[in-house]
Amino acid sequence: MQVKTYAEYASTGETPEVLFWVGCAGSFDQRAQKVTRSFVKILNHLNIRFAVLGTEESCTGDPAKRAGNEFVFQMLALQNIEVMNTYGVKRIVTTCPHCFNILKNEYPSLGGNYEVIHHSTFLQKLIDEGRIKITDTATFKGKKITYHDSCYLGRANEIYEAPRKVLEELDAELVEMKSCRTKGLCCGAGGAQMFKEDEKGTKRINIARTEEALETNAQIVAAACPFCNTMITDGVKSKEKQQDVKVFDIAELLAAGQGLETISL
Amino acid sequence: MFTILQIVLFIVLCVTAGFLAYKGYLRVYKNIMLGKSEDLSGDSSERLKNMLLIAFGQKKMFKNITPAVLHLLIYVGFVITQIELIEVFIDGLTGSHRIVFHAVKDIPALRFLYVFTISSIEVMSVFVFIATVAFLCRRWILKVPRLNKPELKGFPVMDATIILVSEIYLLACIFSMNTADMALHNGEYGFFVSNLLMPAFAGFGETALHVFERTGWWGHMLGVLALLVYLPYSKHLHILLAFPNTYFGRLQPKGYISNMPEITKEIKLMMDPSAVPPPVDANAAPVKFGAKDVFDLTWKNLLDAYTCTECGRCTAACPANQTGKLLSPRKIMMDTRDRMEEVGRIKAANNGVWIDDGKSLIENNYITVEELRACTTCNACVEECPIMISPLEIIVELRRNLVMEESNAPAEWNGMFTAMENNGAPWQFSQQDRLNWKNG
């Protein structure tokens, strides 16, 4: 897989078009790594000159900040900003809504000013420019897809349509869950909940959301966030529906539609 | 003589109510000013637009159509009734009777306008009556879930009922006043609804009709004055505070959480090996991170708390609350307001000097750690609030205090913080392996 780091670009005096911010989940989580690779396949297929920070990338600090630890957040943020400003980064694309939100909204006042794009918007623009050609229609023929709104894309940054536009490219039926868009129900991972046990309650949030997804009878739940992906995948498993319902990121689905990826339904 | 007595009584009541109301609103203002200063000036055109659309235009209410329509009826009815109140007020001060009517009755166009206005108020009042009964039914018979949550037990539910019942009382007064007045003057005024109600008063003599008219007039006036005084102690205060609260509402994307500049300073010192730390001022108050009590929140957070009318849209939308966790965003706002009131009472009892009562907004029958921990920061509560209140800002400030001041975090979070500090990821993976995904 062809991936160049910013350091490699800098050594040849070249400038990439965009920095792909992979994020911790995309770097380390096995499921999210697949999404990272699918997105890179699309970028490479379209000859987009992107760079990653590789080992120079650190967590954006999102879970620490939302848990209340501003120290850890700012330590990481200021380090990341120093790295990016040294390279003269201008544009960032990321597959993680949490990274997207914090880079776009909270880095500027710390000295990190970039154009930050979530991959849903990035892919939608490529579609609008006619650069993405769907070649595989067989995979999605007659299938239903339901899109789960990530809180940090949707309510946090009012991106509701871009991921849906991406899914509309595929030859499948897009169905909505009971709560969607501004009323979209959280997967349960945000605010650093991903990293701890739930408080006492009657149900886990990801189960509540998975139930809404299952009610649509969709074969595919589309996510645009690695944490939502994990939470709903877990929910589907605990409902023992993993044979009938699969959770994919919009990048994986779009890569499959372009014949760059095979997915099993 | 009797007229003079009425005028004197009217003025005494107005002045007394005005004084009590002044004290009540001053209390609210002082309590809001317990908070930290925050500069929210500027962007006035955008802020004005928000206020007009969201408070005046009730834009966000219309996400939920049934209560939105009912609420709009009461709101419009309330606003236009104020026109009739102007005449009531002048009559009270001068001892006149329907002074505006008598001034315009010989000018056909103005007379029409007067009758049309009062008739519109009457028609709106009928709608207000229907909407108020519907609201009482939603609360007491249909038991809409968000209006029947544990945090409403006691005063809050009584407060809500007092407001709805007093609306019905005010309507009864208006119709008693107008209909009896019409009956006394053979329907001369030609008000639309009281014209229809007149047959109900047909059996009464002149004296009885006078009593009905005067009772209605005084009852309405007293009701209005009583509500004016009660308002700063009630959740109903939103009818006023919705305007400043939407004006000063956040303009950033909802995902934005403020950065703490005091921490930026410290970290920049840490990162710069040649930095010379500034001299420490021994007299400066110690820096406190996050909020433990109402003093540590901003005045906007406290304005939010007083603006909250306890409708519970936030709580109904909260994923933690929906899945049985203790967290209720509405309770966050109510606890903040209640603590503010408590602090205000202590200060008032000690000539404005704060005497530490050893309590804070966290625990002490206010917001528990368990509630704070359950938040996913999903912004559903912020999105739902029809008047731009943010429970999330308060939750984050309290979490900051727990984590940074009290070192009170779940063990998993502490592990996560350590991993983030040591290897730049919330999990224990080496930063050197960050690019390994490309080999998969």
Side-chain angles (χ1 to χ4, degrees), chain A residues 1 3 5 20 22-29 33 36-37 40 52 54-59 61-76 78-79 82 101 104-107 109-110 151-152 155-158 160 182-183 185-186 188 190-193 195-205 208 227, chain B residues 63-64 253-268 270-271 289 317-326 369-381 383-384 392 396 399-401 403-404 410 412-413 416-418 420-421 423-427 429-440:
Chain A
M1 177 162 271
V3 183
T5 61
F20 172 27
V22 182
C24 300
S27 300
F28 295 120
D29 179 88
Q33 285 179 338
T36 307
R37 288 194 289 268
V40 166
V52 296
T55 55
E56 290 185 281
E57 183 188 282
S58 289
C59 176
D62 168 83
K65 180 168 180 106
R66 266 114 194 119
N69 199 330
E70 185 79 4
F71 268 110
V72 171
F73 155 63
Q74 289 204 15
M75 240 172 62
L76 291 163
L78 290 168
Q79 282 170 25
E82 198 163 283
N101 175 73
K104 170 176 162 283
N105 295 323
E106 289 154 21
Y107 273 41
S109 76
L110 298 174
C151 304
Y152 274 82
R155 281 185 293 267
N157 292 293
E158 292 177 16
Y160 299 107
T182 57
K183 290 191 181 283
L185 181 65
C186 177
Q193 297 295 339
F195 304 96
K196 69 179 228 332
E197 284 305 312
D198 287 8
E199 271 55 49
K200 197 161 86 287
T202 49
K203 198 186 259 184
R204 300 196 59 181
I205 295 173
F227 300 106
Chain B
K63 289 174 160 204
N64 203 345
K254 289 189 194 69
Y256 169 79
I257 294 177
S258 64
N259 295 327
M260 298 170 69
E262 60 272 34
I263 285 179
T264 315
K265 225 168 30 193
E266 298 233 351
I267 294 181
K268 286 205 165 144
M270 247 167 60
M271 281 170 73
F289 297 124
C318 174
N321 193 277
Q322 282 177 22
T323 54
K325 277 78 172 180
L326 268 186
V369 174
E370 185 177 339
E371 290 164 65
L372 294 171
R373 290 277 159 71
C375 175
T376 68
T377 68
C378 77
N379 265 303
C381 53
E383 177 75 41
E384 280 303 304
L392 180 54
V396 169
R399 273 188 176 184
R400 282 174 171 171
N401 186 271
V403 168
M404 292 188 286
E412 302 105 302
W413 274 4
M416 173 185 86
F417 297 146
T418 311
M420 287 171 81
E421 280 181 71
N423 48 276
W427 301 287
F429 291 112
S430 165
Q431 192 152 10
Q432 292 312 309
D433 295 337
R434 254 191 123 91
L435 206 45
N436 289 2
W437 55 266
K438 74 169 183 177
N439 307 323

Side-chain angles (χ1 to χ4, degrees), chain B residues 216-320:
Chain B
W217 192 93
W218 280 103
H220 187 78
M221 199 64 224
L222 281 172
V224 168
L225 294 178
L227 276 179
L228 189 71
V229 174
Y230 180 60
L231 211 52
Y233 299 90
S234 163
K235 75 183 193 81
H236 206 55
L237 189 55
H238 81 291
I239 63 171
L240 301 178
L241 293 190
F243 294 89
N245 205 60
T246 47
Y247 183 85
F248 292 114
R250 294 277 170 240
L251 301 174
Q252 296 98 335
K254 289 189 194 69
Y256 169 79
I257 294 177
S258 64
N259 295 327
M260 298 170 69
E262 60 272 34
I263 285 179
T264 315
K265 225 168 30 193
E266 298 233 351
I267 294 181
K268 286 205 165 144
L269 277 177
M270 247 167 60
M271 281 170 73
D272 179 5
S274 59
V276 182
V280 182
D281 179 0
N283 298 319
V287 185
K288 192 152 56 161
F289 297 124
K292 189 182 172 72
D293 210 339
V294 289
F295 311 102
D296 314 321
L297 294 167
T298 71
W299 66 269
K300 176 59 176 65
N301 298 140
L302 302 184
L303 175 64
D304 271 358
Y306 266 127
T307 306
C308 176
T309 196
E310 301 166 9
C311 75
R313 283 169 177 76
C314 52
T315 295
C318 174

Side-chain angles (χ1 to χ4, degrees), chain B residues 183-245:
Chain B
L184 279 167
H185 297 85
N186 303 315
E188 184 197 356
Y189 306 124
F191 302 149
F192 182 70
V193 178
S194 36
N195 200 30
L196 301 173
L197 292 175
M198 263 193 344
F201 282 39
F204 294 104
E206 201 169 312
T207 320
L209 288 175
H210 268 295
V211 171
F212 282 129
E213 196 277 331
R214 283 291 90 189
T215 311
W217 192 93
W218 280 103
H220 187 78
M221 199 64 224
L222 281 172
V224 168
L225 294 178
L227 276 179
L228 189 71
V229 174
Y230 180 60
L231 211 52
Y233 299 90
S234 163
K235 75 183 193 81
H236 206 55
L237 189 55
H238 81 291
I239 63 171
L240 301 178
L241 293 190
F243 294 89
N245 205 60

Side-chain angles (χ1 to χ4, degrees), chain A residues 14 17 19-20 44-45 47 52 75 96 100 114-115 135 148-149 154 179 187 195 212 224 226 232 237-238:
Chain A
E14 289 177 284
E17 288 171 49
L19 164 66
F20 172 27
N44 281 338
H45 180 67
N47 294 317
V52 296
M75 240 172 62
C96 173
F100 164 70
Y114 322 103
E115 181 195 351
T135 52
H148 162 77
D149 283 284
S179 18
C187 71
F195 304 96
E212 289 192 355
I232 296 177
K237 270 189 208 142
S238 71

